[in-house]
Amino acid sequence: AQSVAQPEDQVNVAEGNPLTVKCTYSVSGNPYLFWYVQYPNRGLQFLLKYITGDNLVKGSYGFEAEFNKSQTSFHLKKPSALVSDSALYFCAVRDLSSASKIIFGSGTRLSIRP
Amino acid sequence: EPEVTQTPSHQVTQMGQEVILRCVPISNHLYFYWYRQILGQKVEFLVSFYNNEISEKSEIFDDQFSVERPDGSNFTLKIRSTKLEDSAMYFCASRGAGGTETQYFGPGTRLLVL
């Protein structure tokens, strides 16, 4: 069965510093991986996805993620954090069933201090 | 940019009452989903819907739940007799026909069962 793990419940970063939110996955076959962000009292917004190709995927709001097959990781990164990046981040994998449901990680709360 | 919309944004109901949560998926999408997020927990898959029938459902989606696409635009989730533990944020999502298509989520309906 497909699954993702986010080992950190919370990540704290100073504004202007680089940030990394970690994610590891377990899939059979080729992984379809996603990052979503949830701002307070808001829905889930798509940030980026990896399907195939270049291991470095660029997404919205200056975020990027690096797919590493040998480490089965898909860490989310940003070179310079903004206070407005503070939110809950979910790593996810697409299930390979016909319905292709999304399986989410437990989420990581990112807090950027001024 | 097209987006998934959901109504109402908040719903408060008494235990045992029926509720209907409404979603308008992105217009050219063919796959529809409901997920829920109990406060402080991860996002969980409930059901997927394609070609006017349920394609997959989770163990959470018992006989108290049903989905319907009553016309060409709406996609509804009905809970027949709500329980306290149904209190959660419910997200609708949709995606296009391609195998690598992204699921886009609505803003959610926060359901509170008293």
Side-chain angles (χ1 to χ4, degrees):
Chain A
Q2 274 62 234
S3 66
V4 291
Q6 294 179 245
E8 302 155 316
D9 290 336
Q10 174 122 8
V11 171
N12 299 308
V13 178
E15 187 175 29
N17 283 0
L19 69 87
T20 298
V21 183
K22 295 179 181 176
C23 172
T24 57
Y25 65 88
S26 174
V27 302
S28 52
N30 295 321
Y32 288 1
L33 297 161
F34 303 83
W35 277 99
Y36 286 85
V37 60
Q38 185 178 29
Y39 296 101
N41 300 312
R42 301 277 297 278
L44 293 160
Q45 294 183 34
F46 168 73
L47 272 182
L48 50 80
K49 67 181 178 184
Y50 172 83
I51 303 297
T52 186
D54 195 351
N55 289 344
L56 187 63
V57 179
K58 294 190 183 298
S60 307
Y61 312 120
F63 283 93
E64 57 192 27
E66 187 170 9
F67 172 69
N68 187 316
K69 189 173 183 177
S70 63
Q71 297 184 5
T72 62
S73 66
F74 188 56
H75 301 333
L76 181 70
K77 300 182 179 184
K78 187 172 181 180
S80 178
L82 299 172
V83 172
S84 57
D85 293 330
S86 298
L88 189 56
Y89 290 80
F90 290 97
C91 183
V93 64
R94 201 198 82 178
D95 190 271
L96 296 179
S97 66
S98 60
S100 299
K101 64 180 182 282
I102 297 286
I103 298 168
F104 287 88
S106 54
T108 297
R109 188 164 298 283
L110 178 63
S111 177
I112 310 299
R113 59 184 183 276
Chain B
E1 184 176 328
E3 57 184 18
V4 178
T5 60
Q6 291 185 242
T7 55
S9 58
H10 293 79
Q11 173 113 29
V12 180
T13 189
Q14 296 290 324
M15 189 170 56
Q17 295 296 303
E18 175 183 285
V19 295
I20 297 176
L21 310 183
R22 292 182 168 79
C23 168
V24 179
I26 294 172
S27 63
N28 61 346
H29 283 183
L30 299 178
Y31 293 81
F32 313 111
Y33 305 83
W34 284 101
Y35 294 80
R36 79 171 185 190
Q37 183 184 32
I38 295 173
L39 188 64
Q41 299 185 23
K42 68 164 71 173
V43 179
E44 303 173 289
F45 166 77
L46 289 178
V47 66
S48 59
F49 192 86
Y50 171 70
N51 200 26
N52 283 318
E53 62 182 23
I54 291 174
S55 46
E56 188 174 356
K57 59 184 180 180
S58 73
E59 59 187 24
I60 302 168
F61 194 88
D62 61 23
D63 293 343
Q64 292 302 311
F65 292 88
S66 62
V67 289
E68 190 178 31
R69 188 157 162 83
D71 52 42
S73 60
N74 290 286
F75 179 52
T76 63
L77 174 69
K78 182 193 290 187
I79 310 175
R80 290 191 185 80
S81 178
T82 50
K83 306 190 232 354
L84 296 177
E85 55 264 36
D86 293 328
S87 296
M89 180 75 96
Y90 287 82
F91 293 108
C92 174
S94 69
R95 72 171 178 93
T100 60
E101 288 288 323
T102 300
Q103 285 186 32
Y104 291 94
F105 286 75
T109 293
R110 185 169 294 284
L111 175 66
L112 178 61
V113 182
L114 301 176

